Amino acid sequence: MLKVVVLVSGGGTNLQAIIDGMAAGRITNARIEAVISNNRGVKSLERAAAAGIPGFCVSPKDYETREAFHEALLSKVEEFAPDLIVLAGFLVRIPEAMVHRYANRIVNIHPSLIPSFCGVGYYGLKVHERVLERGVKVTGATVHFVNEGMDEGPIIAQKAVYVEDGDTPEILQRRVMEQAEWILLPAAIDDIANGRIEVQDGRVVRKDGGKE
Ligand code: GAR
């Protein structure tokens, strides 16, 4: 059984997709041990509580330095000895020590087709604002392993979503979530929990021969 810790910052719809995926058997061999938020009072923590999952807040506001926050976050994560850390809308940069300790054991969902619209400053609604400003006609989401770079780790899966006339950032965000994120992230966790993927030479390969 893969022990999963989920890190969140806000609404937690991706967390909900994971919880629902586990309840429905779309994700097998995995269990969420804890949900950790960097923000207090967020819907994500309510979703965790409703599912009977322990929830915690480790806020940078409670620490004098970034280093102290990083240490606190890492030690909270380590309490659960996770096999996998899932960044499900976790909008702060994670400590480098965590990246090294959990190499190829941290996954992130990003709301664009990486390497477009990613990197510093591209998170949450801002991604969709920039997509609309640029006028691209296709966007999407990417689930990837986390390395030292910003949105640069090995890509596990991507799904394209059309931009439509009249889209606002909020409408587009919702479509990308519904058509891509809430499908890709649970599927990636299921693949990892069932040993279907591995990282070779910085790229993700499927052991079942490339079938998605
Ligand atoms: C999601 O769209 C996720 O892809 C994005 O934040 C949103 C969180 O929503 N993550 C990033 O932008 C990471 N760079 P949620 O809290 O409802 O899952």
Side-chain angles (χ1 to χ4, degrees):
M1 188 66 80
L2 193 85
K3 291 198 282 174
V4 180
V5 166
V6 183
L7 305 190
V8 293
S9 295
T13 64
N14 279 287
L15 167 67
Q16 192 66 53
I18 300 167
I19 292 170
D20 294 347
M22 287 179 177
R26 288 188 296 275
I27 303 172
T28 57
N29 292 326
R31 189 177 64 221
I32 304 176
E33 299 288 315
V35 171
I36 303 170
S37 171
N38 63 304
N39 288 318
R40 236 175 273 291
V42 289
K43 182 93 192 271
S44 298
L45 291 174
E46 288 174 29
R47 293 178 192 275
I53 300 164
F56 305 89
C57 174
V58 181
S59 167
K61 293 180 187 149
D62 296 335
Y63 299 90
E64 291 208 344
T65 63
R66 206 69 187 167
E67 290 69 35
F69 164 63
H70 282 170
E71 271 176 34
L73 182 64
L74 186 52
S75 73
K76 179 51 81 183
V77 165
E78 303 233 287
E79 276 179 33
F80 302 95
D83 302 305
L84 183 71
I85 299 169
V86 177
L87 310 184
F90 189 60
L91 304 184
V92 296
R93 196 148 186 185
I94 62 163
E96 201 147 298
M98 193 185 290
V99 176
H100 291 144
R101 200 159 306 170
Y102 293 91
N104 295 331
R105 289 191 292 150
I106 307 175
V107 297
N108 179 46
I109 180 83
H110 183 79
S112 76
L113 293 174
I114 289 174
S116 288
F117 302 102
C118 63
V120 177
Y122 286 87
Y123 59 89
L125 208 55
K126 288 182 193 297
V127 175
H128 306 291
E129 288 168 0
R130 305 263 163 78
V131 162
L132 292 176
E133 275 163 24
R134 185 63 185 85
V136 296
K137 305 306 179 201
V138 178
T139 183
T142 302
V143 56
H144 64 94
F145 285 111
V146 173
N147 66 8
E148 308 77 33
M150 188 85 173
D151 299 328
E152 288 175 3
I155 291 171
I156 300 169
Q158 296 186 293
K159 194 162 186 291
V161 174
Y162 285 114
V163 178
E164 292 178 12
D165 289 347
D167 273 352
T168 62
E170 290 80 8
I171 291 171
L172 183 58
Q173 179 182 52
R174 182 77 191 184
R175 188 180 311 115
V176 168
M177 286 174 160
E178 282 176 359
Q179 295 185 7
E181 297 185 41
W182 301 340
I183 300 163
L184 288 182
L185 186 58
I189 295 168
D190 185 55
D191 281 341
I192 293 165
N194 291 287
R196 287 188 212 105
I197 59 175
E198 66 186 10
V199 178
Q200 284 176 15
D201 301 329
R203 283 189 289 269
V204 172
V205 294
R206 298 186 66 93
K207 297 191 201 164
D208 51 6
K211 181 181 69 67
E212 282 213 357

